Amino acid sequence: PDSARASIAARVEKLACSLFEAQKPESSARLALWESCLQSTRSTAGVERVANGLKFRKPPKGIPWDLEQRWKMAAVLARNGAAAAPSTIASLEKDDPSDRGRKRAQQLRAELPNPQTKKDLLDQLLPEATAQANAQATATTAAPSLEARREIAMGLLITGQESILEPLLADRYFDALPRLVAESDPEHATRMASILFPAFCRADLAAKARGLASSRSEEFPEPVLEVLR
């Protein structure tokens, strides 16, 4: 149940951040515990604390103020839907003009708990059911590289956001997979099938996946079939 999961998440956040706070600034374990604290942060107070750290350029004592830490802090804002998340991502993308910075920005935008944002990104990841619709999408939006698509896909699947993503992706995944396999190399098709599939945990969707694997056993690469089974 969502209430039980929220309760567990709150306890994990409290424990991780308490362990971090208990370490002295010069402790070698402090940085690793800081990352655990960030990864578990879900509470309003925790997100606000991270947002203020970014706003005032004041990380906790013993934590370096560099691009890597700023990206990790921005990820907390993104996945929790903080109001400052979009502007923070844009600012970091400007400060980090590298290819890695661009990919990090794409992934964090995918993490935003915004249905329209996720739908727009899915339009880039999964081909439309018809060639005409796909051509229209391509004409209005430059298609990201295969590697960029994988980064975006990984950003879409955030624990606690299943209720946002599942209505957008459940049917589309199965409709788009045959076309994705036909138009992609086996490695990309397999990775995308695997990355996007974990959003589905309902029994009826698992049965639908097995049925698709059975009906396409001669067309799909074996690794894709293994994902569906």
Side-chain angles (χ1 to χ4, degrees), residues 29-111:
R30 189 167 170 83
L31 183 58
L33 289 170
W34 166 242
E35 293 184 7
S36 296
C37 178
L38 288 179
Q39 290 169 4
S40 63
T41 296
R42 296 287 187 277
S43 67
T44 300
V47 174
E48 184 176 354
R49 182 171 59 249
V50 173
N52 285 336
L54 280 165
K55 180 179 179 180
F56 298 109
R57 297 176 174 265
K58 191 176 181 181
K61 291 181 179 180
I63 303 302
W65 182 252
D66 55 25
L67 276 172
E68 182 63 22
Q69 292 305 319
R70 291 167 64 194
W71 277 119
K72 289 178 179 179
M73 294 169 75
V76 176
L77 306 191
R79 65 174 172 265
N80 287 287
S87 60
T88 300
I89 296 169
S91 177
L92 274 169
E93 189 174 21
K94 183 178 180 180
D95 292 345
D96 185 3
S98 66
D99 185 57
R100 187 182 184 204
R102 179 180 54 79
K103 291 175 183 176
R104 294 287 286 272
Q106 288 175 327
Q107 186 167 351
L108 292 198
R109 290 189 179 102
E111 293 184 12

Side-chain angles (χ1 to χ4, degrees):
D2 290 343
S3 59
R5 183 162 56 184
S7 177
I8 293 171
R11 292 200 297 270
V12 170
E13 178 184 350
K14 183 178 181 180
L15 175 61
C17 295
S18 296
L19 289 172
F20 163 72
E21 294 292 349
Q23 298 294 316
K24 295 181 179 179
E26 64 273 14
S27 170
S28 59
R30 189 167 170 83
L31 183 58
L33 289 170
W34 166 242
E35 293 184 7
S36 296
C37 178
L38 288 179
Q39 290 169 4
S40 63
T41 296
R42 296 287 187 277
S43 67
T44 300
V47 174
E48 184 176 354
R49 182 171 59 249
V50 173
N52 285 336
L54 280 165
K55 180 179 179 180
F56 298 109
R57 297 176 174 265
K58 191 176 181 181
K61 291 181 179 180
I63 303 302
W65 182 252
D66 55 25
L67 276 172
E68 182 63 22
Q69 292 305 319
R70 291 167 64 194
W71 277 119
K72 289 178 179 179
M73 294 169 75
V76 176
L77 306 191
R79 65 174 172 265
N80 287 287
S87 60
T88 300
I89 296 169
S91 177
L92 274 169
E93 189 174 21
K94 183 178 180 180
D95 292 345
D96 185 3
S98 66
D99 185 57
R100 187 182 184 204
R102 179 180 54 79
K103 291 175 183 176
R104 294 287 286 272
Q106 288 175 327
Q107 186 167 351
L108 292 198
R109 290 189 179 102
E111 293 184 12
L112 294 168
N114 182 299
Q116 186 59 51
T117 298
K118 290 190 181 294
K119 181 182 181 304
D120 292 343
L121 291 170
L122 281 171
D123 288 342
Q124 300 179 48
L125 298 180
L126 296 176
E128 294 289 348
T130 67
Q132 181 180 3
N134 198 44
Q136 290 174 345
T138 302
T140 57
T141 305
S145 67
L146 297 185
E147 186 176 357
R149 293 181 196 184
R150 294 165 190 161
E151 296 285 341
I152 293 170
M154 287 188 289
L156 284 172
L157 302 179
I158 299 298
T159 300
Q161 295 184 7
E162 294 87 351
S163 62
I164 297 174
L165 188 58
E166 188 171 302
L168 299 173
L169 188 55
D171 292 327
R172 186 168 183 173
Y173 176 90
F174 298 107
D175 293 340
L177 194 57
R179 188 178 178 91
L180 179 67
V181 170
E183 297 181 353
S184 307
D185 63 81
E187 179 186 1
H188 176 69
T190 301
R191 291 184 66 178
M192 291 297 288
S194 178
I195 291 169
L196 292 173
F197 187 80
F200 309 125
C201 54
R202 299 199 327 249
D204 62 315
L205 293 174
K208 189 172 183 177
R210 291 192 296 270
L212 182 61
S214 177
S215 66
R216 302 278 182 162
S217 60
E218 300 298 323
E219 303 170 44
F220 286 5
E222 185 59 32
V224 174
L225 295 174
E226 290 177 3
V227 170
L228 294 172
R229 291 168 180 156

